[in-house]
Amino acid sequence: MMSKIMCRNTLPRVLIILAGMITAASLASSHNYTDALSKCILFFEGQRSGNLPPSQRMTWRKDSALKDGSDVGMDLVGGYYDAGDNVKFNFPMAFTTTMLSWSVLEFGNLMGSDLQQAMEAIRWGTDYFLKATNVPDSVVGVVGDPIGDHSCSQRPEDMDTPRTSYVVTKEKPGSEVSAEIAAAFAASSLVFKDSDNNYSTLLLNRSMQVFEFADKYRGSYNDSIGEGACPFYCDFSGYMDELLWGASWLYKATGAADYWNYVRENIDKMESTVIRNFNGDPVSYINGAVTEFGWDSKHSGINVLVSQWVMTDPNNSSPFILNADKFVCSILPESPTQKSVTYSPGGLLFKPGGSNLQHSTSISYLLMVYAGYMKATNKVVNCGNNVVITPDRLVNFTKGQVDYILGSNPLGMSYMVGFGPQFPQKIHHRGSVLPSLDQHPQHIDCRGGDVYWQSQGPNLNLLTGAIVGGPAENDTFQDSRYNVPQSEPTTYINAPFVGVLAYFKSLFPQLNPRK
Ligand SMILES: *[C@@H]1O[C@H](CO)[C@@H](O)[C@H](O)[C@H]1NC(C)=O
Ligand SMILES: *[C@@H]1O[C@H](CO)[C@@H](O)[C@H](O)[C@H]1NC(C)=O
Ligand SMILES: *[C@@H]1O[C@H](CO)[C@@H](O)[C@H](O)[C@H]1NC(C)=O
Ligand SMILES: *[C@@H]1O[C@H](CO)[C@@H](O)[C@H](O)[C@H]1NC(C)=O
Ligand SMILES: *[C@@H]1O[C@H](CO)[C@@H](O)[C@H](O)[C@H]1NC(C)=O
Ligand SMILES: *[C@@H]1O[C@H](CO)[C@@H](O)[C@H](O)[C@H]1NC(C)=O
Ligand SMILES: *[C@@H]1O[C@H](CO)[C@@H](O)[C@H](O)[C@H]1NC(C)=O
């Protein structure tokens, strides 16, 4: 067994600018990535729960859910609403925080003045997770009774539905939600290392503590606090992927051999969920589902993350690099083994289920990061049949996804609210649909807001930067509050996009005049 502490940052963090594929044509179809990045981060202010600070820029939102945690004698005020409703689902919230942190670690030096805003978005999550993990050997998994919440359509500021706290413990464990929170703490501890060392130390300490809890008391929160988790954020892919993801982040943050050994010894134990392709045919891969990545499955994220420190180390590269390469080949349209996604006629990537743009943004993020690691080691990916994928090609591919989302698509529609001349006006989001307290200070009860949902006009409040679920597979889009899979934004669509946009902002400085 390896026991030496490995250098976990063997590759430069700064991505080498990959200018090779930038053609006149691609420049012409480019967008203002600086503007998109600012808005992408601003969106998180619209999802804030708790006491809003004086620095709040999205001012139509007000304080909400100020008694969260009182049912279990805890202070659980803060954090983020996951999407268009008012529940605090800590599992996807933690994934969001991990991805915001990873975005800053890889691309923060390209963000300019938005770096500070991105760090504040992370801290809004981590401050809350410190509260949610404040009692040893327990982790709060969800706040807000999801069924109660979904039966009313109130503004967060007016909520009078049950704010039940669902807590996992030694006896009723939840390894996926706990290990994802541990990952978020470890990743964010690196973000704050230079600017706030005390906070960074606190986050790292808590990460180790929560990871130990997650690993020692194993079980799925499906079984422990299922009323709070299912069917909304049921864990379908098991918890081994989160344990490995958490350990990988802890290794990156600490360099401690124990975490690296944990990853190497358990990487073959990931659940082999049967993943089906678009036609419903089972697609099986060794070592679990290496093509999956999102709030539920961390599989390809683990391989790409770990590849940073094993890329040039043949003794340790297996199975990570092989699996990261398989991931690449399962996506790129020219690859003979491309079978984990489909493409709309306009070129947008699709996977089954709703909220499709989460796949486009999170896969784009992983491909961008992998392109950087490949470039730094002169690596290419061979997909067979003489198809060789270069880092430049990954950037070119990702740019296609980014530009589609920002408006280069058959409808000419930007799927980011407030970006470009044409964007969704009737998104599925309570705060955006109902009037602000500024306009309507009176309480609006459970169904009192229905009239606003049924209105033909645009939403009353602009949730700037929100990326919605996105178009159908034929590139059509129904701008309707009731088409939830298409018109609802989620925090985990935006979080990886923050890193991707920072990269393209730096790649096209001519669109972003220096101030
Ligand atoms: C891009 O957006 C930024 C921020 O909104 C703005 O300052 C800049 O002028 C825009 N650039 C162009 C070329 O329109
Ligand atoms: C950081 O922690 C150290 C040791 O606990 C303490 O002395 C110091 O005042 C703290 N610094 C800040 C800025 O809080
Ligand atoms: C880390 O956490 C442990 C357990 O809660 C605590 O005893 C210890 O003082 C903490 N260390 C630091 C540096 O915060
Ligand atoms: C969680 O619940 C879903 C739906 O009931 C089920 O399909 C899945 O296997 C469960 N996951 C675990 C890890 O128990
Ligand atoms: C790989 O392992 C072999 C055999 O233990 C060793 O000789 C070699 O130096 C190792 N290579 C690296 C890059 O660590
Ligand atoms: C990708 O490269 C091809 C070939 O050079 C080019 O036609 C296409 O416009 C590029 N796509 C993007 C989004 O830049
Ligand atoms: C496009 O797909 C949507 C959703 O499947 C469907 O309702 C619509 O009829 C299709 N439109 C066209 C023009 O094929």
Side-chain angles (χ1 to χ4, degrees):
M1 277 301 113
M2 282 274 312
S3 59
K4 76 180 158 110
I5 293 184
M6 299 188 49
C7 176
R8 61 201 183 282
N9 273 322
T10 46
L11 301 180
R13 234 192 240 162
V14 181
L15 272 184
I16 294 145
I17 298 300
L18 308 167
M21 300 294 277
I22 305 312
T23 59
S26 72
L27 189 58
S29 68
S30 291
H31 298 269
N32 188 335
Y33 304 110
T34 298
D35 192 32
L37 173 64
S38 302
K39 288 173 174 164
C40 195
I41 299 171
L42 180 58
F43 158 72
F44 289 93
E45 293 193 10
Q47 298 303 110
R48 283 175 171 176
S49 180
N51 278 301
L52 304 184
S55 59
Q56 174 83 9
R57 295 170 296 165
M58 208 178 273
T59 50
W60 55 266
R61 281 294 327 284
K62 310 292 175 190
D63 296 351
S64 62
L66 299 181
K67 291 183 186 144
D68 278 5
S70 55
D71 61 327
V72 290
M74 293 175 79
D75 168 10
L76 296 172
V77 175
Y80 289 111
Y81 303 120
D82 69 305
D85 53 13
N86 304 335
V87 183
K88 298 195 291 200
F89 289 107
N90 292 357
F91 187 32
M93 195 200 300
F95 176 68
T96 295
T97 308
T98 308
M99 293 310 293
L100 278 173
S101 299
W102 200 3
S103 289
V104 165
L105 292 176
E106 293 288 340
F107 304 103
N109 60 336
L110 309 175
M111 288 179 187
S113 57
D114 277 311
L115 173 59
Q116 195 54 39
Q117 302 296 345
M119 288 170 72
E120 281 180 27
I122 294 166
R123 200 187 274 257
W124 195 265
T126 48
D127 279 349
Y128 167 76
F129 284 125
L130 287 170
K131 296 177 174 183
T133 57
N134 197 33
V135 178
D137 287 337
S138 79
V139 166
V140 179
V142 176
V143 179
D145 168 13
I147 304 285
D149 180 87
H150 286 86
S151 65
C152 291
S153 58
Q154 289 174 287
R155 301 178 288 198
E157 293 82 0
D158 279 341
M159 261 191 299
D160 43 23
T161 48
R163 299 298 293 172
T164 314
S165 303
Y166 301 86
V167 185
V168 299
T169 61
K170 289 188 204 176
E171 293 77 28
K172 286 177 166 266
S175 297
E176 66 289 90
V177 63
S178 306
E180 184 62 55
I181 291 174
F185 278 140
S188 56
S189 78
L190 289 167
V191 168
F192 294 104
K193 204 173 177 136
D194 295 334
S195 59
D196 189 346
N197 199 257
N198 283 12
Y199 192 62
S200 171
T201 306
L202 177 64
L203 296 173
L204 187 56
N205 192 5
R206 192 63 66 84
S207 176
M208 296 190 273
Q209 210 177 302
V210 173
F211 179 79
E212 194 185 333
F213 168 72
D215 185 42
K216 198 162 158 194
Y217 306 102
R218 290 194 189 186
S220 169
Y221 85 154
N222 280 12
D223 302 320
S224 306
I225 54 166
E227 331 81 80
C230 299
F232 304 99
Y233 290 99
C234 245
D235 176 20
F236 291 97
S237 75
Y239 52 75
M240 245 354 265
D241 56 326
E242 280 81 25
L243 286 172
L244 283 156
W245 174 243
S248 302
W249 275 109
L250 269 162
Y251 176 64
K252 188 173 161 71
T254 63
D258 284 355
Y259 292 118
W260 176 233
N261 289 336
Y262 184 98
V263 174
R264 296 192 327 140
E265 285 162 17
N266 292 291
I267 190 69
D268 290 327
K269 297 187 188 141
M270 272 201 283
E271 295 87 343
S272 292
T273 326
V274 178
I275 298 299
R276 295 176 187 276
N277 68 15
F278 229 86
N279 302 320
D281 306 323
V283 186
S284 57
Y285 293 94
I286 55 160
N287 299 327
V290 301
T291 62
E292 296 305 301
F293 188 59
W295 61 263
D296 185 5
S297 298
K298 310 296 140 59
H299 301 68
S300 44
I302 296 166
N303 292 316
V304 170
L305 175 65
V306 169
S307 74
Q308 187 188 19
W309 59 84
V310 302
M311 199 72 116
T312 57
D313 178 356
N315 294 348
N316 286 289
S317 64
S318 177
F320 309 101
I321 303 294
L322 188 66
N323 285 345
D325 287 359
K326 276 189 185 170
F327 166 67
V328 169
C329 296
S330 81
I331 305 291
L332 274 284
E334 65 267 40
S335 163
T337 54
Q338 185 267 307
K339 52 187 169 182
S340 68
V341 297
T342 55
Y343 292 92
S344 70
L348 183 65
L349 171 163
F350 275 80
K351 281 170 89 84
S355 192
N356 180 66
L357 284 183
Q358 67 177 308
H359 303 302
S360 175
T361 61
S362 57
I363 287 173
S364 292
Y365 181 84
L366 288 187
L367 294 179
M368 288 302 305
V369 169
Y370 202 50
Y373 299 165
M374 286 167 63
K375 186 83 174 180
T377 54
N378 291 317
K379 176 188 163 62
V380 296
V381 175
N382 201 321
C383 293
N385 286 3
N386 297 322
V387 173
V388 175
I389 307 295
T390 63
D392 285 349
R393 171 58 186 141
L394 291 180
V395 173
N396 166 276
F397 171 83
T398 304
K399 186 169 184 298
Q401 297 298 304
V402 172
D403 288 343
Y404 186 111
I405 292 172
L406 295 180
S408 305
N409 56 56
L411 293 181
M413 166 79 90
S414 152
Y415 291 101
M416 177 186 278
V417 172
F419 182 86
Q422 204 194 337
F423 53 83
Q425 303 290 325
K426 298 190 226 173
I427 69 169
H428 181 96
H429 187 280
R430 294 185 201 157
S432 171
V433 173
L434 273 65
S436 164
L437 282 180
D438 288 335
Q439 271 69 50
H440 191 296
Q442 301 85 356
H443 183 266
I444 300 176
D445 68 12
C446 181
R447 303 250 55 103
D450 289 357
V451 55
Y452 301 104
W453 286 83
Q454 290 153 8
S455 120
Q456 294 304 305
N459 284 7
L460 296 175
N461 301 303
L462 203 60
L463 187 64
T464 305
I467 303 171
V468 296
E473 247 197 295
N474 54 14
D475 297 308
T476 64
F477 178 72
Q478 196 189 6
D479 191 0
S480 156
R481 299 179 186 110
Y482 298 102
N483 191 331
V484 183
Q486 291 194 10
S487 72
E488 186 174 34
T490 71
T491 58
Y492 43 88
I493 299 178
N494 274 57
F497 213 49
V498 167
V500 172
L501 287 172
Y503 178 78
F504 284 105
K505 164 181 164 159
S506 77
L507 203 51
F508 294 90
Q510 58 272 61
L511 295 173
N512 311 301
R514 300 250 175 268
K515 299 219 171 71

